[in-house]
Amino acid sequence: MKIFFSKYYTVKTPGHVFRADKFRAVIDLLLREGVINKKDITAPAAPSAADLKLAHSQAWVRKNLEFRFTPKDSALAEIKITRAVALAHLMNAGGTLAAAGAALRDGAGVNCGGGSHHAFRGHGGGFCLLNDIAVAVKKLLKEKRVKRAMVIDLDAHQGNGTASILRGDRRVFTFSMHGSEIYPPEKEKSSLDIGLRPGTGDAAYLAALRSELHRAMDRFRPDFAVYVAGADIYRGDALGGLKLTMGGIKKRDAFVFGECRLRGIPVALTLSGGYAVKFSDTVRIHANTVKAAMSSFRNPRRPSAAPAA
Ligand SMILES: [Zn+2]
């Protein structure tokens, strides 16, 4: 299974709660533990303007490609948009596109980054500039490589940008399970939103996920999925407000990949948020998710051989 990562993902954001160096740290941990080796890692190409315009306005695409941001753009994204920051976001979108392509070939593809679900069609938001999820989904649909795509967004925050961009496209189902009391203050409407009370722990979280995702997949029958696997549902997270243990998050990941595998649905993994007070906890949780993807799809079923779920 391929894992996509670019050296351009790493950008210094001193003092900012979003540490872009976490993705490099995940790669290093996986290498150190022998889960992956260097030949598994592929650097993605930057997405084209045409790809980005599938999900974004022409004006926003131009700003991103020409690095012409205003102070208001930075304020909306809640991150100072330097050239390096913009390049990181661009390459992250390339990584998710590449992971989506790999998923169709191999059953699963991993972007060791991505999941910028707060980026809207014409502006950034919540540390996100380009919605890599929507770009990848729109591209596979346009190329008729998939017919029905599901976004499984289990980051602690609602996938508001994704919901906004993809709303009205009947070929896409956006599933978002998130804390109801945290950012974004005004939620968008996903195909299915499950708002969780602050302090929700393993048992209640997993029960809701198992019943709701199972049912949504039964009804929608996607032939492709993007998994937005935020680590910020962890009880040690500074922003998420939920109380899942690392073991609970492992069960979350096993369930998602298990459902996809059982139904023969190729899945592209994006890592998204994660702001644990202890940096190494965020890195460990993301690495666990990559491991779950790898073990679940070591012997993938070919999508065409899948039973009608
Ligand atoms: Zn988040």
Side-chain angles (χ1 to χ4, degrees):
M1 201 178 70
K2 284 214 156 111
I3 178 160
F4 293 92
F5 173 78
S6 162
K7 63 181 179 185
Y8 299 112
Y9 288 10
T10 307
V11 48
K12 289 200 173 67
T13 49
H16 198 283
V17 68
F18 183 87
R19 283 187 56 175
D21 57 341
K22 68 178 185 164
F23 301 128
R24 165 98 256 166
V26 172
I27 289 279
D28 288 344
L29 180 60
L30 293 168
L31 284 170
R32 213 161 49 235
E33 296 190 337
V35 178
I36 60 170
N37 54 49
K38 281 195 172 152
K39 70 171 173 41
D40 297 322
I41 306 164
T42 305
S48 68
D51 291 343
L52 296 175
K53 282 180 200 163
L54 296 171
H56 292 286
S57 69
Q58 193 158 338
W60 185 239
V61 170
R62 193 179 305 134
K63 276 187 180 180
N64 276 271
L65 292 180
E66 296 174 7
F67 304 111
R68 285 203 317 217
F69 297 96
T70 63
K72 192 180 163 214
D73 293 326
S74 285
L76 268 174
E78 297 180 56
I79 194 161
K80 189 174 186 312
I81 312 174
T82 62
R83 213 178 168 85
V85 165
L87 182 60
H89 286 257
L90 192 63
M91 297 313 290
N92 266 279
T96 300
L97 273 172
L104 295 188
R105 286 188 301 275
D106 305 333
V110 174
N111 183 10
C112 194
S116 293
H117 59 167
H118 301 309
F120 282 76
R121 184 172 292 279
H123 61 86
F127 323 147
C128 303
L129 298 184
L130 293 167
N131 196 306
D132 54 307
I133 305 150
V135 169
V137 162
K138 286 285 192 186
K139 177 150 176 159
L140 293 188
L141 287 166
K142 177 172 169 270
E143 292 179 344
K144 303 200 184 323
R145 297 172 75 191
V146 307
K147 290 195 179 79
R148 298 164 73 74
M150 180 178 274
V151 178
I152 304 166
D153 190 333
L154 301 184
D155 186 273
H157 301 91
Q158 194 211 24
N160 58 340
T162 315
S164 166
I165 293 170
L166 296 174
R167 187 184 306 137
D169 188 333
R170 295 167 62 88
R171 303 166 300 174
V172 186
F173 191 102
T174 49
F175 180 103
S176 182
M177 198 158 110
H178 49 261
S180 56
E181 308 290 313
I182 54 172
Y183 182 95
E186 287 179 23
K187 308 286 189 280
E188 296 288 327
K189 191 161 169 41
S190 313
S191 307
L192 180 62
D193 287 299
I194 301 157
L196 303 169
R197 284 201 304 274
T200 297
D202 289 350
Y205 184 97
L206 292 167
L209 174 66
R210 285 178 177 138
S211 67
E212 296 294 344
L213 184 61
H214 188 87
R215 189 171 23 205
M217 283 185 150
D218 273 353
R219 274 211 297 243
F220 186 71
R221 296 175 175 239
D223 58 7
F224 171 70
V226 179
Y227 179 23
V228 184
D232 47 10
I233 60 172
Y234 177 51
R235 63 182 175 185
D237 196 87
L239 302 185
L242 303 175
K243 289 271 184 283
L244 273 85
T245 64
M246 266 196 215
I249 300 172
K250 276 189 182 177
K251 287 181 182 158
R252 171 196 75 166
D253 295 338
F255 178 74
V256 172
F257 291 120
E259 281 284 309
C260 290
R261 183 188 157 96
L262 198 66
R263 296 162 189 263
I265 302 167
V267 56
L269 169 64
T270 65
L271 297 184
S272 204
Y275 316 93
V277 174
K278 206 171 138 199
F279 180 67
S280 59
D281 284 349
T282 296
V283 174
R284 172 58 67 192
I285 292 165
H286 284 323
N288 285 344
T289 305
V290 175
K291 278 194 227 177
M294 294 183 79
S295 61
S296 188
F297 285 85
R298 200 151 278 146
N299 300 298
R301 288 183 187 205
R302 290 200 353 266
S304 56

